[in-house]
Amino acid sequence: MNLEEIKQTARDKMKGYCRVCKNCNGIACAGEVPGMGGIGTGSSFTANIEALANVKLNLRTLHDAKTPDVSTNILGIDLSMPILSAPITGSDYNMGGAIPEAEYIGMVMSGSKYAGTIGMCGDGGNPVFYTSGIEAIKKENGHGIPIIKPRENHRVIEMAKQAEEINAPAVGMDIDGAGLVTMALMGQPVGPKNLQEIKEIISAVDLPFILKGIMTVDEAKLALEAGAAAIVVSNHGGRILDSTPGVAQVLPAIADKLKGKITILADGGVRSGVDVLKYLALGADAVLVGRPVIIGAFGGGAEGVRLVLETMANELKQAMILTGCKDIKSINSSVIY
């Protein structure tokens, strides 16, 4: 099994939903929500890709970073790489349904663990989405992180307690799901949360809590004030609000104010290990990967997910050799041109 075979198999299985383009930039699938595209014009999806592409690296080879160490620790979890699988649901209406939801998320959780990292499971309009993720994490002895939609507080807390029961190392909420089209289509009550509501949720949960969908400095500060252990700087893959900037554009300002005070994850447009390096140099502690992991699962199951993640880790290692970074902690803004 190689990446090209995985992509071709995924292309066949997701025909009509994802073209598995050579350059996954959101142009061909613009407006396809549900589906794999960005909302509206698709500009928020493409902004993630373009913002990363506009970041240039300083080539350095007069140094001693001969065998970089890409391992890291996030929220007390030892990982072989600073790359996590993002929470994505909706195999049926987003990806074509060739792989049932429970099988898909099982592949993601297992493949992530095989690669030495960890996957996140998501939530959605159909209750099977979250329960499938919980079951997949349970099968991996708690190795996975559930992410919950911004439902009514009592429901979020109930679902977070399920994560506690299966010994997950953390739990979170993708707060930017407040206006998600697919949730609205399924009649699910979701919405924005104020500071007090976030505090209520976090104080009721005995796990490190992640707030996903932060795109401004002021909301990053509110997440810290609310007691969040981590934030994910993310525009939800460009799938909820048209005309947002790319994550790489807003990440430096957030990292400037919050780095070291809260774990910072970045999500959006990661297609290679070089992209991972860019986000780390811009201030992230680790990144989430979405579409490439979907392609890995549909094209090669858990082994396909593992191969996608390990390939990115190897690309990251090579990029670190060529920018003079001996380990993850040594990656900083000096890498950026």
Side-chain angles (χ1 to χ4, degrees):
M1 184 188 300
N2 59 47
L3 288 178
E4 283 309 310
E5 291 170 344
I6 285 171
K7 288 178 181 178
Q8 185 55 55
T9 301
R11 190 176 289 115
D12 293 340
K13 286 188 176 180
M14 291 194 286
K15 189 173 183 179
Y17 289 81
C18 180
R19 298 156 185 84
V20 190
C21 299
K22 184 176 182 180
N23 181 17
C24 179
N25 56 17
I27 293 175
C29 56
E32 295 179 5
V33 180
M36 294 284 282
I39 195 76
T41 66
S43 70
S44 295
F45 182 140
T46 57
N48 285 337
I49 305 296
E50 292 168 356
L52 272 174
N54 287 333
V55 176
K56 304 302 179 184
L57 303 174
N58 287 316
L59 172 66
R60 290 190 172 99
T61 52
L62 301 180
H63 55 73
D64 211 24
K66 301 178 188 296
T67 55
D69 178 7
V70 299
S71 66
T72 191
N73 184 287
I74 298 296
L75 300 177
I77 312 163
D78 288 326
L79 303 175
S80 65
M81 63 184 78
I83 308 168
L84 295 74
S85 294
I88 298 173
T89 60
S91 171
D92 186 31
Y93 56 78
N94 285 325
M95 310 164 209
I99 299 176
E101 190 76 26
E103 288 184 31
Y104 162 72
I105 195 60
M107 293 169 178
V108 173
M109 291 300 153
S110 298
S112 301
K113 188 176 181 181
Y114 295 160
T117 184
I118 195 166
M120 294 180 173
C121 70
D123 178 22
N126 188 333
V128 75
F129 295 167
Y130 190 73
T131 56
S132 293
I134 289 290
E135 285 302 313
I137 294 171
K138 188 176 180 180
K139 287 179 182 176
E140 297 299 339
N141 298 313
H143 194 77
I145 301 173
I147 303 294
I148 304 161
K149 288 286 181 283
R151 301 170 178 274
E152 294 173 305
N153 272 26
H154 72 90
R155 185 64 184 132
V156 174
I157 293 168
E158 287 172 6
M159 294 169 76
K161 292 298 180 183
Q162 290 180 263
E164 292 179 9
E165 291 167 6
I166 60 169
N167 296 315
V171 69
M173 178 169 62
D174 49 347
I175 188 66
D176 55 357
L180 200 61
V181 171
T182 49
M183 290 293 288
L185 290 174
M186 293 187 173
Q188 297 292 318
V190 293
K193 301 285 184 186
N194 61 35
L195 178 60
Q196 190 54 45
E197 288 172 314
I198 297 293
K199 284 183 175 180
E200 179 187 335
I201 292 168
I202 293 175
S203 65
V205 179
D206 295 326
L207 290 173
F209 201 89
I210 302 166
L211 276 179
K212 181 177 181 289
I214 301 297
M215 286 288 285
T216 62
V217 172
D218 61 307
E219 292 212 332
K221 289 179 177 178
L222 286 174
L224 178 65
E225 183 181 347
I231 58 171
V232 183
V233 183
S234 171
N235 63 7
H236 211 96
R239 292 171 60 76
I240 53 163
L241 177 64
D242 209 351
S243 297
T244 69
V247 168
Q249 292 173 276
V250 304
L251 176 59
I254 292 172
D256 181 60
K257 299 297 183 184
L258 278 297
K259 186 77 170 181
K261 299 177 182 178
I262 193 169
T263 297
I264 301 173
L265 308 177
D267 163 58
V270 177
R271 303 290 182 263
S272 69
V274 171
D275 290 336
V276 175
L277 177 64
K278 289 178 179 182
Y279 270 146
L280 298 180
L282 292 171
D285 296 302
V287 305
L288 309 187
V289 177
R291 285 171 181 82
V293 167
I294 293 172
I295 291 166
F298 272 74
E303 185 62 22
V305 172
R306 181 197 64 79
L307 182 57
V308 165
L309 293 169
E310 289 184 347
T311 298
M312 281 193 182
N314 288 332
E315 291 168 345
L316 170 62
K317 191 176 295 186
Q318 182 69 9
M320 289 169 66
I321 290 172
L322 294 171
T323 52
C325 303
K326 65 180 181 179
D327 54 29
I328 299 304
K329 289 182 179 179
S330 67
I331 300 172
N332 56 44
S333 59
S334 69
V335 171
I336 305 297
Y337 175 73

